[in-house]
Amino acid sequence: AKELGKSRFKVFNQKMHDQALMLMALETDLRRAVDLNEFEVVYQPIICLETREVCGFEALVRWRHPKHGMISPDQFIPLAEDTGLIYAIDSLVLRNACLQITEWQNRFGTMLSGPLTLNINVSGKHFGQSMLPGQVKRALEDSSMAPEHLNLEITESALMDNPSIAEDILKQLKNLGIHVCIDDFGTGYSSLSYLQRFPIDVVKVDRSFISDVEDNLDSQAIVRTVFSLGESLGLKIVAEGVETPKQLIFLESEGCRYVQGFLFYKPLSVEEATSLLVKASM
Ligand code: C2E
Ligand code: CA
Ligand code: CA
Ligand code: CA
């Protein structure tokens, strides 16, 4: 038994060692990816239920690794946050997406029922940094994008980890004329008072509540509460992760106006999103 214990320990150790090596290699790769801009932005449509039309896009980053192929953000964002590379990555995505949305707006804007909006994800770590408002300002200027069509998505914990810094940064962001959106709403923080304290414009109900809304009464109650809260606080509510017609029927019956999810579209490449806009503007 003792022998076995020892060898197990050895295996465990070897595994940790391998993982550490892999992480180090990945970090080197990620630095290079930032230098060479190996990132791509895909765009998931946000649908306005009144018109059933695309009213905007959420920009989502992908890493096209030369050896490993497409890597999804869940696999590299945590490392990017630990290494501080997230500032450069978020900023690249922001710049590219602002330029892209402006191009689409110029080409298709007059033929759509309203202006296209752009949602951008900002990591909580990045949000707490004083450089963010300046980066947003520059991205808006360089793309000539109208600030009121930009929504910055942040999580509840990004706000609540350091509320007084958050308050200051939000003030600067709002002064630029952009909108602020709470992402993954309902998962991060138990108190709702921050919705009043901070100048929030949009709330995205987390996918976990939508996915079992068909048969989970608690999720139904939560979703209902968020919609009525939105009504009384003047917030725009987006339901994310809508996958089934039944979910959609429930959401519509509760007064939901904006949805995002695989029932409508997966995140699209620039080419795919462009063809979608061509069709929508015919
Ligand atoms: P998120 O901001 O909550 O983004 C939504 C995620 O859910 C996306 O995954 C999207 O592809 C996926 N999704 C959308 N509709 C559905 C659906 O109907 N069903 C299911 N099962 N999934 C759906 P993705 O693109 O892999 O992104 C994962 C997370 O990575 C994002 O979650 C966000 O937190 C982060 N992320 C993505 N892009 C960026 C970025 O540019 N900067 C930062 N800081 N984070 C990013
Ligand atoms: Ca998001
Ligand atoms: Ca989300
Ligand atoms: Ca998320």
Side-chain angles (χ1 to χ4, degrees):
K2 207 175 177 190
E3 273 310 297
L4 194 66
K6 230 180 192 172
S7 70
R8 250 202 226 133
F9 179 70
K10 213 164 138 192
V11 168
F12 181 58
N13 227 0
Q14 182 64 41
K15 203 173 152 204
M16 277 173 49
H17 179 76
D18 289 349
Q19 273 178 354
L21 278 184
M22 213 186 71
L23 263 179
M24 280 192 307
L26 198 62
E27 184 179 336
T28 311
D29 283 6
L30 194 57
R31 275 184 205 285
R32 194 206 50 221
V34 169
D35 289 339
L36 303 179
N37 190 5
E38 293 174 353
F39 300 101
E40 228 164 82
V41 184
V42 290
Y43 296 88
Q44 187 176 31
I46 297 172
I47 310 298
C48 170
L49 287 180
E50 253 167 77
T51 60
R52 286 306 206 255
E53 261 187 39
V54 176
C55 55
F57 294 94
E58 177 176 5
L60 296 158
V61 71
R62 300 288 179 267
W63 176 11
R64 194 184 279 281
H65 191 286
K67 267 201 237 115
H68 308 307
M70 278 295 200
I71 303 183
S72 74
D74 287 331
Q75 288 172 274
F76 67 86
I77 296 279
L79 180 65
E81 287 176 335
D82 288 347
T83 51
L85 288 167
I86 192 67
Y87 313 130
I89 297 172
D90 277 355
S91 175
L92 268 170
V93 173
L94 173 71
R95 293 184 60 83
N96 285 346
C98 286
L99 288 167
Q100 186 60 65
I101 212 84
T102 306
E103 193 188 309
W104 282 333
Q105 182 61 33
N106 291 342
R107 182 164 163 202
F108 302 106
T110 56
M111 294 170 280
L112 301 169
S113 48
L116 289 170
T117 56
L118 171 65
N119 284 37
I120 289 282
N121 292 285
V122 175
S123 143
K125 190 169 173 203
H126 193 178
F127 180 75
Q129 301 287 319
S130 54
M131 65 180 118
L132 182 63
Q135 287 177 343
V136 172
K137 184 163 182 275
R138 247 169 291 128
L140 288 169
E141 283 168 359
D142 294 351
S143 63
S144 337
M145 181 180 167
E148 66 269 26
H149 300 150
L150 179 64
N151 295 309
L152 275 202
E153 297 193 2
I154 51 176
T155 58
E156 293 163 311
S157 55
L159 286 183
M160 298 316 291
D161 283 351
N162 198 330
S164 60
I165 288 185
E167 202 154 26
D168 178 54
I169 289 176
L170 279 183
K171 209 162 112 199
Q172 295 180 56
L173 289 171
K174 295 291 294 182
N175 279 339
L176 297 174
I178 70 164
H179 291 139
V180 174
C181 170
I182 300 296
D183 202 357
D184 306 340
F185 184 75
T187 60
Y189 197 72
S190 52
S191 163
L192 293 177
S193 57
Y194 76 89
L195 286 176
Q196 266 185 314
R197 169 170 178 187
F198 297 116
I200 309 294
D201 305 286
V202 187
V203 161
K204 272 194 167 179
V205 187
D206 190 65
R207 192 169 77 215
S208 57
F209 302 114
I210 308 298
S211 67
D212 60 2
V213 85
E214 281 168 36
D215 36 43
N216 185 325
L217 293 177
D218 290 341
S219 290
Q220 290 183 5
I222 289 168
V223 169
R224 241 180 232 125
T225 307
V226 177
F227 282 118
S228 73
L229 201 68
E231 187 113 335
S232 40
L233 294 178
L235 298 165
K236 179 176 153 181
I237 312 287
V238 182
E240 69 176 349
V242 181
E243 292 182 345
T244 70
K246 275 190 179 160
Q247 291 165 359
L248 181 63
I249 289 167
F250 175 81
L251 291 167
E252 275 202 290
S253 74
E254 294 303 325
C256 176
R257 299 177 58 203
Y258 302 95
V259 290
Q260 188 181 346
F262 294 170
L263 179 62
F264 293 90
Y265 300 99
K266 292 196 165 165
L268 306 175
S269 68
V270 169
E271 293 71 31
E272 291 168 329
T274 305
S275 350
L276 172 66
L277 290 169
V278 168
K279 273 191 223 126
S281 59
M282 282 198 300

